Amino acid sequence: MQNTKSVPRRLSRMKAFQFLYGLEFAEIQSVQALEQNYKNFPTQEDDEENTCEGFTWELILGVWQNSEKLDAIIQQYSKKWRIDRVGKVELCLLRLALFEMSFRDDVPDKVAINEALELNKIFGEERSQAFINGILDNYSKSQEENK
């Protein structure tokens, strides 16, 4: 049965982050495999059902489908860091925020940046706040200049 209760976007982002972080340790080759993994992803007691629709799924699918583009952006803006040196938590947070900033017109850049920093407070290390903020802020500024 479909749960019609609206899930706050912050919780959707958190769940998307947790799922995407797990993908760092598993090779997924197809949308069908991605869907199956998501349907089997553990849920919290008050959580929505893992159906392949809604904001959480849109974030997961979007980041997964665009990871090469998102990694290229991260590489471009992380001046002295190779992408393979960026921690997995930070990489997932950056991908998620950059996906929202690049592909979602309904999410202002400031919101995407703030949400990434809030998730980093929960899952990441304090010292990576400036790194994440710097990349996202510089990307946002460059997009504003290009408009």
Side-chain angles (χ1 to χ4, degrees):
M1 179 177 216
Q2 176 67 27
N3 188 347
T4 56
K5 170 177 80 169
S6 178
V7 176
R9 283 191 162 191
R10 178 164 286 172
L11 294 178
S12 292
R13 285 182 184 94
M14 184 179 300
K15 186 172 184 176
F17 164 78
Q18 290 171 315
F19 182 80
L20 291 165
Y21 180 76
L23 292 184
E24 290 296 309
F25 306 96
E27 191 78 21
I28 302 291
Q29 299 293 334
S30 68
V31 173
Q32 292 79 15
L34 187 71
E35 288 175 352
Q36 193 57 47
N37 274 312
Y38 182 61
K39 287 176 184 174
N40 293 325
F41 190 66
T43 59
Q44 302 293 331
E45 188 175 317
D46 293 333
D47 199 2
E48 65 182 352
E49 221 175 285
N50 289 347
T51 58
C52 296
E53 56 187 46
F55 189 62
T56 305
W57 175 248
E58 290 169 14
L59 293 175
I60 290 168
L61 183 62
V63 170
W64 183 78
Q65 289 178 324
N66 295 287
S67 63
E68 287 181 18
K69 292 176 192 167
L70 299 170
D71 287 355
I73 295 169
I74 295 167
Q75 186 66 65
Q76 179 183 349
Y77 288 90
S78 61
K79 309 216 183 322
K80 295 177 183 162
W81 285 85
R82 290 188 328 269
I83 196 99
D84 61 344
R85 290 192 61 218
V86 177
K88 291 189 185 316
V89 168
E90 292 78 12
L91 188 60
C92 288
L93 290 173
L94 287 167
R95 285 177 181 155
L96 190 57
L98 287 167
F99 171 74
E100 289 192 81
M101 295 165 75
S102 301
F103 296 96
R104 300 282 310 209
D105 293 333
D106 61 328
V107 179
D109 285 4
K110 288 182 185 207
V111 171
I113 293 169
N114 184 58
E115 290 295 320
L117 295 174
E118 289 299 316
L119 286 171
N120 186 63
K121 287 179 186 174
I122 298 168
F123 299 105
E125 296 183 31
E126 188 177 326
R127 62 182 183 192
S128 61
Q129 288 283 104
F131 177 73
I132 292 170
N133 189 51
I135 289 175
L136 297 177
D137 192 49
N138 286 335
Y139 176 73
S140 178
K141 287 176 182 169
S142 74
Q143 296 308 296
E144 287 297 317
E145 291 169 7
N146 292 335
K147 285 185 180 176

